[in-house]
Amino acid sequence: MGRNWYLLWSGSAVSALGDGIFLAALPLLAATLTQDPKLIAGVSFFGALPWLLAALPAGAAADRYDGRKLLLAALWVQCGLMAALAAFHSAHIAFIYGMAFLIGTAENIPRAVGQPLIKATVENHLLERANGRLFASQAVALQFVGPPLGGLLFALATPAPFWVNALTFAIAAVLVTKMRTQRQPRPARPKIAEGLKWLMKHKALRTVTVVSATTNLCIAMTMATLVLFAQHRLGLTNAGFGAFLATLACGGVAGGLLAERLLAKYRNTVTATVVLIPLMWLGIATIAHDLITVAAFAVVSSFCTAVWGVATSALRQRAVPTELLGRVSSAQTLITWGVQPVGALLGGLIADYFGLLAPWFVAVGLRTIVGLLSLKPLRAHWPGAALNVHLAAAPEHDAAVTLPDASR
């Protein structure tokens, strides 16, 4: 791992800190304008809607243009949008919807260029390690430090978290500016749908995509009214809500750091995460009535999510040809993140009609069904992940990914 990787890693961590601040501050801002679960869920809906509309074009842009320059442009745009949100924070809820949509649109570019940039800056046998460190640092910034800081800043002054968020994007842009990457041959006019077609032909990645999409749909259902869940069921204050979100980071950090060893040593690591995640959600919905108990279940869930993320990222980076990686990654983003606005709408409606616990029970049932159906395909095509295995570039081969018996 060289200088370019560490600059990319640092920039990602700093911008993730801003995202963590935003994660706590935006629903708190919405809650000052309305207590209607449907209207609050609308913030999540409009923030996630761009993943349906902009993911594929962003992937095509990532395969055609210089990824570093695209990332820089997106970071500066996000910086400006955060500054605008800070300046006009007391506007109507419709303004909050619009800003959430624009910020979500800009976020598609970093997501699209991130995979090619990681592959360009990290040697193939170090992908699990790089992805693990990336997940761990993002968990610290996005979940552990960012949300409590966002809640605290919001309690001090409503626009403060958004000004600080704008600053984090500016710092990340400065770090990315110092990267020096070589230009790669790129298609003059990449076909937008080509990545989606490639993905649908690859059985292992297709199964992973379905599981990830279901997980994100369920998370969106529960997150849409999470601020009300925290306030009414757990009795948390604004600052306490940020601390509540931070509990997720403990498992995410551990999962990111330990994923490389677990994936190398235990052949059933990936399938174990598929089973454990909905069980943890069930615990939150049934026997967790205080912050400590919720945190215990959330830590295990986030640990499994991080391990799953490291494994699937490495699988994608090895399996997909470099010239298609941006489009295939964005095709997965379209599906796995594009379901979030649907989940947010469902979460708001379900919570409004059946209570704040209802989205959790629906999420447990849906994720359990999909998880059980995926176990056989995952075992057939993905008993594990290996650093030194080179997957066939063509999806028609549907190469299985296997774990070595020994540690890497």
Side-chain angles (χ1 to χ4, degrees):
M1 296 183 189
R3 179 174 180 271
N4 283 329
W5 156 249
Y6 285 106
L7 287 170
L8 180 64
W9 183 23
S10 301
S12 174
V14 173
S15 63
L17 174 62
D19 290 338
I21 293 172
F22 185 68
L23 183 67
L26 190 65
L28 288 172
L29 178 60
T32 64
L33 301 175
T34 178
Q35 286 287 299
D36 187 329
K38 295 189 297 297
L39 293 179
I40 289 179
V43 176
S44 297
F45 171 77
F46 283 102
L49 185 59
W51 300 111
L52 277 175
L53 304 178
L56 290 183
D63 284 336
R64 182 175 183 182
Y65 301 108
D66 188 299
R68 187 182 70 90
K69 292 180 179 179
L70 284 175
L71 180 57
L72 275 174
L75 289 171
W76 285 120
V77 168
Q78 289 174 293
C79 176
L81 290 171
M82 286 297 173
L85 184 58
F88 302 101
H89 62 276
S90 60
H92 192 271
I93 189 69
F95 174 77
I96 307 302
Y97 290 168
M99 294 305 297
F101 179 82
L102 292 175
I103 292 167
T105 300
E107 178 63 20
N108 273 270
I109 292 297
R111 290 280 175 183
V113 303
Q115 295 295 307
L117 283 176
I118 291 173
K119 190 170 183 177
T121 56
V122 177
E123 296 179 9
N124 194 56
H125 68 284
L126 295 174
L127 285 174
E128 274 85 0
R129 184 175 304 173
N131 284 302
R133 291 181 179 180
L134 188 64
F135 270 82
S137 62
Q138 287 183 339
V140 170
L142 182 61
Q143 297 173 338
F144 190 71
V145 179
L149 181 58
L152 178 62
L153 289 170
F154 189 89
L156 294 174
T158 300
F162 306 108
W163 285 120
V164 173
N165 201 351
L167 178 62
T168 62
F169 283 121
I171 294 173
V174 171
L175 290 169
V176 173
T177 301
K178 298 181 180 296
M179 290 179 61
R180 295 292 179 266
T181 56
Q182 296 180 347
R183 289 187 60 84
Q184 301 292 333
R186 301 176 185 273
R189 292 184 179 179
K191 297 179 180 179
I192 291 178
E194 191 172 356
L196 185 59
K197 293 178 180 178
W198 197 99
L199 174 64
M200 291 298 100
K201 293 179 181 179
H202 196 291
K203 291 183 180 179
L205 284 176
R206 189 170 65 234
T207 302
V208 164
T209 302
V210 171
V211 176
S212 296
T214 305
T215 303
N216 285 345
L217 175 73
C218 295
I219 290 175
M221 282 196 294
T222 58
M223 288 293 291
T225 55
L226 189 65
V227 64
L228 299 179
F229 175 90
Q231 291 174 346
H232 299 309
R233 181 175 172 86
L234 303 179
L236 300 181
T237 62
N238 289 345
F241 177 64
F244 172 52
L245 295 178
T247 61
L248 299 174
C250 299
V253 173
L257 294 176
L258 295 176
E260 181 185 9
R261 294 182 181 180
L262 290 173
L263 292 167
K265 189 173 182 180
Y266 301 106
R267 299 181 63 86
N268 294 319
T269 297
V270 172
T271 52
T273 65
V274 172
V275 174
L276 285 173
I277 289 174
L279 288 178
M280 297 305 103
W281 295 350
L282 181 61
I284 292 175
T286 55
I287 65 177
H289 296 278
D290 57 82
L291 180 59
I292 294 177
T293 311
V294 170
F297 287 113
V299 164
V300 178
S301 175
S302 60
F303 179 92
C304 294
T305 302
V307 173
W308 170 268
V310 170
T312 55
S313 293
L315 168 65
R316 179 174 56 247
Q317 289 156 359
R318 287 200 181 94
V320 182
T322 301
E323 67 275 9
L324 276 171
L325 186 53
R327 280 168 287 173
V328 174
S329 298
S330 291
Q332 279 195 303
T333 298
L334 170 69
I335 299 169
T336 59
W337 288 67
V339 297
Q340 291 188 77
V342 178
L345 280 179
L346 288 175
L349 292 172
I350 293 170
D352 187 47
Y353 287 105
F354 302 104
L356 294 175
L357 286 179
W360 290 92
F361 286 110
V362 174
V364 169
L366 180 60
R367 179 58 175 73
T368 299
I369 292 171
V370 173
L372 291 176
L373 291 175
S374 72
L375 289 180
K376 184 176 180 180
L378 285 175
R379 289 192 182 111
H381 297 285
W382 194 359
L387 279 177
N388 55 2
V389 64
H390 295 278
L391 295 174
E396 290 80 6
H397 293 293
D398 292 322
V401 189
T402 56
L403 261 178
D405 292 332
S407 177
R408 297 180 192 112

